[in-house]
Amino acid sequence: MKIGILGVGHIGKTLGRKLSAAGHDVKVANSRGPETIDATVLETGARAVTASEAVKDVDVVILSTPLNRVPDIAPLLAGVPAGTVVIDTSNYYPGRDSRIAAIEAGQIESIWAAEELGRPIVKAWNAIGSVSFALKGTPPGTPGRIAIPVAADDDSERAVGMALVEDTGFDGFDAGPLAQSWRQQPGAPAYCTDLTRDEMPAALASAEAARLPRRRDLSVAAISERVGDGTTNPDSEYGVRLSRALFM
């Protein structure tokens, strides 16, 4: 497939590497220009381009930016054909994104993003830690293979998201429509807990919407105390242990 990725942060850079290694035609872009993209992102065949070039003539656009950047991205997607699948990997963290009134009032993050973009989206790769995503992918059928939930309103678009998750080394798990995507948001039992396909249904079902923000904020405080600078992610084993202790 032809894929454009906007954002080459913790998740975006791994997406670029894994999807191009899987044989997809991948373009990557950031807000600062192609010359600023680290060469390691391009080692498996991805090409660095401008943001406007990244969304042109592609089958899939993947947004891997902070959630508060979504309104800025909307104009870039205005001319993208309706048949192009848009996948969003972001999560809402008020300390980073500033408070978004609609989400604070209870709107589901993915639905807010879809409304801001003015088009349907798929939610994927948001519920795995960046270190686990980079290091823990395995071939299909591997015992204990980690699953990643994928939510979308359109069945065919959800299937595309799940297939691409498989190409990055994880089991794509059908998490239903966007209205249920809150079950894979920060603070939920399925979020960054490295669960298998068999473990995922119970984790999604046991999520309690009212408890997610408090649990999310507790994890942020614990991670900040451990790593200090607010930009470094903890190692995967600590992150998974913390998420399981707080969210499950």
Side-chain angles (χ1 to χ4, degrees):
M1 301 182 79
K2 295 180 179 179
I3 301 172
I5 300 174
L6 297 178
V8 286
H10 292 303
I11 294 293
K13 66 183 179 183
T14 299
L15 282 168
R17 291 173 58 86
K18 285 177 174 280
L19 290 173
S20 56
H24 297 286
D25 180 1
V26 178
K27 298 183 286 187
V28 296
N30 63 12
S31 61
R32 295 175 292 137
E35 68 282 355
T36 67
I37 294 175
D38 194 289
T40 60
V41 180
L42 313 176
E43 286 178 343
T44 58
R47 293 172 287 126
V49 298
T50 65
S52 60
E53 291 171 325
V55 303
K56 189 178 300 182
D57 298 323
V58 292
D59 305 302
V60 177
V61 173
I62 302 176
L63 310 182
S64 191
T65 66
L67 188 70
N68 66 352
R69 292 291 314 283
V70 165
D72 299 330
I73 292 169
L76 275 176
L77 300 184
V80 172
T84 302
V85 177
V86 177
I87 304 177
D88 176 38
T89 74
S90 66
N91 292 298
Y92 177 51
Y93 281 97
R96 176 197 64 194
D97 298 318
S98 298
R99 292 192 176 273
I100 298 173
I103 296 175
E104 292 290 330
Q107 186 174 30
I108 296 167
E109 296 172 17
S110 301
I111 292 178
W112 178 86
E115 289 182 358
E116 290 292 324
L117 293 171
R119 60 186 300 142
I121 64 168
V122 179
K123 195 72 169 186
W125 293 293
N126 73 300
I128 186 165
S130 61
V131 183
S132 289
F133 184 42
L135 300 179
K136 294 185 178 180
T138 56
T142 302
R145 194 184 198 214
I146 295 169
I148 294 178
V150 180
D153 290 336
D154 184 276
D155 292 345
S156 62
E157 293 193 350
R158 192 184 318 116
V160 169
M162 291 170 62
L164 291 177
V165 165
E166 295 280 346
D167 286 345
T168 60
F170 301 86
D171 284 340
F173 187 88
D174 189 334
L178 285 185
Q180 296 299 314
S181 64
W182 63 269
R183 298 179 182 275
Q184 64 196 68
Q185 290 177 188
Y191 182 77
C192 293
T193 47
D194 286 6
L195 304 180
T196 65
R197 183 189 298 275
D198 291 339
E199 295 169 324
M200 188 61 70
L204 292 171
S206 65
E208 300 175 72
R211 303 183 72 177
L212 266 58
R214 174 66 171 162
R215 292 176 172 183
R216 175 201 65 207
D217 293 346
L218 284 171
S219 71
V220 169
I223 291 170
S224 296
E225 189 278 333
R226 183 179 181 92
V227 301
D229 64 4
T231 60
T232 302
N233 282 357
D235 67 82
S236 65
E237 297 313 313
Y238 171 76
V240 172
R241 289 197 310 270
L242 178 68
S243 295
R244 289 185 174 188
L246 293 177
F247 304 160
M248 296 183 75

